[in-house]
Amino acid sequence: MTAQEVRLCGLLLQEHFGEVVEKVGTHLLKSGAQNLRTIIHETGLSVDLVKKSLCVLVQHGATTFSSGRKGPGSPTEYHTSCDRILRILRYPRYIYTAKTLYGDTGELIIEELLQRGHTTMSSTVKTVADRLTQNMAEGRTMDYTEVSLTFSKLVETHFLQRCPPLPGVGNKDSSAPSETPATPGTPAAPVNTAPPTPESFPECYKVPSVTLIGRGKRQLASEDGEEQRSAKRAKMDPETHGDEGIYWQVNFERFHLHFRDQTIISAVANKLDQTSSEIVRTMLRMSEVTTSPMATCTKPLSANEIFRSLPPSYNILRPILDQYLTLLVDDPMEFVGKAGESGGGMFVVNLHRALANLARATLESVVQERFGSRSARIFRLLLRKRHLEQKQVEDFAMIPAKEAKDMLYTLLSQNLVQLQEIPKTPDYAPSRTFYLYTVNQLPTARMLLQNCYKTVANLIERRLFETKESKRLLEKSQRIEAILASLQASGAEPEQLTEVEEMITAPEKQQLDTLRLHINKLDSAENQVDETIFLLESYINSTNASS
Amino acid sequence: MLTAANRATTRCWRSASPGVQVWRCSGSALTAERICVTHPSAMAAHGRGQRTLSFTMETVKGDAPPPSVQQPTPVFPVMEQKPLPLTGGEEAEYLLALKQDFRGAMRSLPCFIQPLVTNRDVERYSDKYNRSEQMDKLLDWAPGEAPPTADWKRFPRELRVHVRKPARDSVSAAVQSPPPPQMKKKGVKDKEEVLLKLESLEKKEEQETSEDEEGETKKKQEEEEAEGEEEYDEEEFEEETDYIMSYFDNGEDFGGDSDDNMDEAIY
């Protein structure tokens, strides 16, 4: 939990949950696991606010609670971790992926789940059906079964998972009797040192048998309709659907695997050509279910199998496929490796090595954009040759001595390059010591990742600053829009509308446009930095897993 | 020589500081001998971004060392290279729209908690009634979609704010159920409605304080807060009537005022 991560998490919590939750969350991040009384005392907030913030944080999975360190009798402790909160940056990407895979229905399901944290299947289906109905043409409504079907598909492909049932923390009746009997019988409160992952429960991906019959409701504009609806809703709420107590959450790891695959495929497409990327896509698709998330490479696939599974639009001949596979294996990026000769050649996709190479390419491009192409040449040289003396750097990079020295020192001061001394004598005399320049990829990647967090935090702060500066202007424009909307709804004449529109002067309009442009730029910059964050995080996690 | 150096995989710290672990290198072949033990404090000094350069090489080569920097780097340093423009395109724009929509949607959800903002420019009479309304909104939230379906089983017991609210409502339902629908239909804020709200607020605090006494010992501050609230409400509920006591003039003062002026007749 570095300072940059905590700062970024604080800003994200403030934007999405308000200042109170931000205070509680940041406090928990900085001080580790704490119980309720300490939190109240140290944050200085009122009891109700703290309780409510903790509920919000637990509901969204940012905080976990467990019985205290001193045994079952001590007060429950709350623990927050940065990772879950940093995922908030990636929410638009998750929603967009669901849209590309499962259409609008999938998009809205994932959006609902991301907004609410943990919800039941029935409530999600109802809300999504209502929202879809609103956007549809007049008279058409969305059926619940269609939404349930998409929900089931999302669960089958593991994009959604059940929230793990909690071992009774001070609550003996946590296993509600209304849960399906197939749910695993959790043992009564053994003190778990590590929180159980959702996947350790066998029912993680089982869709409950839910009786949901109905159609989405369109929200009527008139007030009478709303009153009637709310009255009806009060009567309908007690109805149960058979899935009480089963809560679902988004499975971020599965999305990350999907993103990783997409990155590898697009990298192959950029480096080689479309057909090679299709071959790699086929290989990854075939090994989706057989590869574990932390695997170094996919299971070996024979060339015959690949040939049979290629999409029918790509009717390439068998020898051409062999040539493509040979090309992929020989490529220095090492995306595909050969694992044997049986079945026409056994091929694997090297996942960890691909991630390492992609991270390396990111580092190289960062150096290139910040320091110029010649510094990037030196950097790449050092990555390949590991340790070089200054004289050798000059020779290999073909850069004059003085400039090479300058560039090396700039890189050294930015901590992208390290100096290693190898003494010949125990007294470290400078004339009798080797000074070697080197680049270590993993620590440099970690450092760049922290820089990325700092970048996003700076972007958010700048955006908040810009919004605050023009607060008066934004409020005025919002008021005028509201007036315009109400005038149009009640059917006003064009002169009145133009009169209201003229309340904003031309320079103010220009100011608003510039503000809008700046905020959009800052927002999309955040999205882009998040892509780099994802790549570096995946690389660092893959090295953690294998080591 | 260099290939042997490649085999030395552990990182070698700067030799300038004392007590650093190094690899020894003899003239012809590299032999790895640990010379000295690492000092944890010395190693701690080499934090990220604190690398000081001794520029030993430059002193060896005879060039003047670059001037040392005496002040922190500027906040917005001049960049030699301009950064690349952002990737545009349909996907980026859609992601941007999703992000902004999501942020806006989160603001309207009940999980967006705003603290009580007290606009104390002028003390207003409606403050004491508005405050109870705001507290209601704050306390009415519960995890799950609507308050009736809150699933408190998934949360630790100490986080519960309303435990027996439905039960309490049913107990006083006989008294309260006729007035609320009428009040809502009329839409008029009578004294009774305010009174009912104060009653329910007091009940909530009573049950809160009783919960606290059952459970762990709470801080005095919170109890004092609750007591303060209760004291205010007790005034009204001394005799459990529908009338606010301070409005009622029971005529004790009636006869005494006119002792001074006996000229006028007493009606």
Side-chain angles (χ1 to χ4, degrees), chain A residues 49-343:
Chain A
L49 286 178
V50 172
K51 282 188 187 176
K52 207 170 160 187
S53 325
L54 284 172
C55 284
V56 169
L57 285 171
V58 172
Q59 169 87 2
H60 285 260
T63 306
T64 51
F65 57 91
S66 58
S67 54
R69 286 166 262 198
K70 301 184 195 136
S74 55
T76 53
E77 291 194 336
Y78 300 92
H79 177 74
T80 315
S81 68
C82 277
D83 301 335
R84 179 63 183 81
I85 303 174
L86 290 173
R87 300 284 160 266
I88 297 181
L89 275 178
R90 217 163 287 156
Y91 281 3
R93 216 169 151 194
Y94 298 141
I95 302 173
Y96 184 70
T97 310
K99 187 190 174 80
T100 49
L101 292 174
Y102 293 103
D104 286 338
T105 322
E107 176 191 9
L108 285 181
I109 292 177
I110 298 285
E111 196 176 338
E112 270 304 307
L113 275 165
L114 287 174
Q115 278 177 1
R116 313 270 170 179
H118 301 168
T119 50
T120 57
M121 179 171 169
S122 36
S123 57
T124 317
V125 167
K126 278 191 234 170
T127 332
V128 171
D130 287 345
R131 279 178 73 177
L132 282 169
T133 313
Q134 283 215 264
N135 294 338
M136 286 167 109
E138 281 294 325
R140 292 181 53 203
T141 53
M142 190 74 181
D143 198 16
Y144 282 175
T145 47
E146 221 174 296
V147 183
S148 307
L149 203 64
T150 320
F151 195 99
S152 316
K153 271 194 265 183
L154 279 165
V155 175
E156 270 166 27
T157 43
H158 291 210
F159 282 110
L160 297 177
Q161 63 187 181
R162 282 200 203 186
C163 304
L166 307 155
V169 190
N171 252 349
K172 289 292 155 59
D173 55 339
S174 68
S175 54
S178 59
E179 275 184 286
T180 55
T183 341
T186 47
V191 181
N192 285 339
T193 44
T197 61
E199 305 232 320
S200 52
F201 297 100
E203 298 294 313
C204 187
Y205 298 112
K206 184 169 179 287
V207 182
S209 52
V210 172
T211 54
L212 266 179
I213 304 165
R215 306 190 71 87
K217 277 170 267 306
R218 187 184 298 278
Q219 199 168 38
L220 300 167
S222 62
E223 286 181 19
D224 293 331
E226 274 199 52
E227 262 186 48
Q228 285 173 17
R229 233 180 110 244
S230 52
K232 265 193 210 163
R233 183 152 275 186
K235 279 189 223 154
M236 271 170 56
D237 264 343
E239 107 187 3
T240 58
H241 296 284
D243 72 335
E244 267 62 41
I246 302 177
Y247 291 86
W248 298 87
Q249 63 186 10
V250 175
N251 184 7
F252 295 118
E253 290 310 314
R254 178 70 182 88
F255 274 105
H256 293 168
L257 295 179
H258 186 263
F259 292 157
R260 179 195 68 186
D261 294 346
Q262 292 295 108
T263 322
I264 294 178
I265 293 168
S266 65
V268 174
N270 283 340
K271 186 123 198 271
L272 299 172
D273 74 334
Q274 187 67 20
T275 320
S276 332
S277 77
E278 278 307 315
I279 294 173
V280 176
R281 191 199 299 268
T282 316
M283 287 174 76
L284 284 169
R285 197 167 22 93
M286 285 160 66
S287 10
E288 238 172 21
V289 275
T290 52
T291 319
S292 74
M294 288 282 115
T296 322
C297 47
T298 61
K299 291 272 183 316
L301 298 164
S302 72
N304 297 330
E305 282 174 1
I306 301 173
F307 185 64
R308 275 199 298 270
S309 320
L310 276 178
S313 49
Y314 275 88
N315 45 0
I316 56 177
L317 301 169
R318 183 58 206 275
I320 310 252
L321 172 70
D322 287 335
Q323 282 179 353
Y324 266 114
L325 285 169
T326 326
L327 233 108
L328 279 166
V329 169
D330 289 337
D331 188 69
M333 288 292 261
E334 292 182 331
F335 287 123
V336 175
K338 195 159 188 183
E341 294 295 342
S342 57

Side-chain angles (χ1 to χ4, degrees), chain B residues 8 18 32 34 52 106 122 132 134 161 194 203 244:
Chain B
R34 290 251 311 254
T52 50
M106 288 297 275
V122 174
S132 63
Q134 278 186 332
V161 184
V194 169
K203 287 213 168 70
I244 299 177

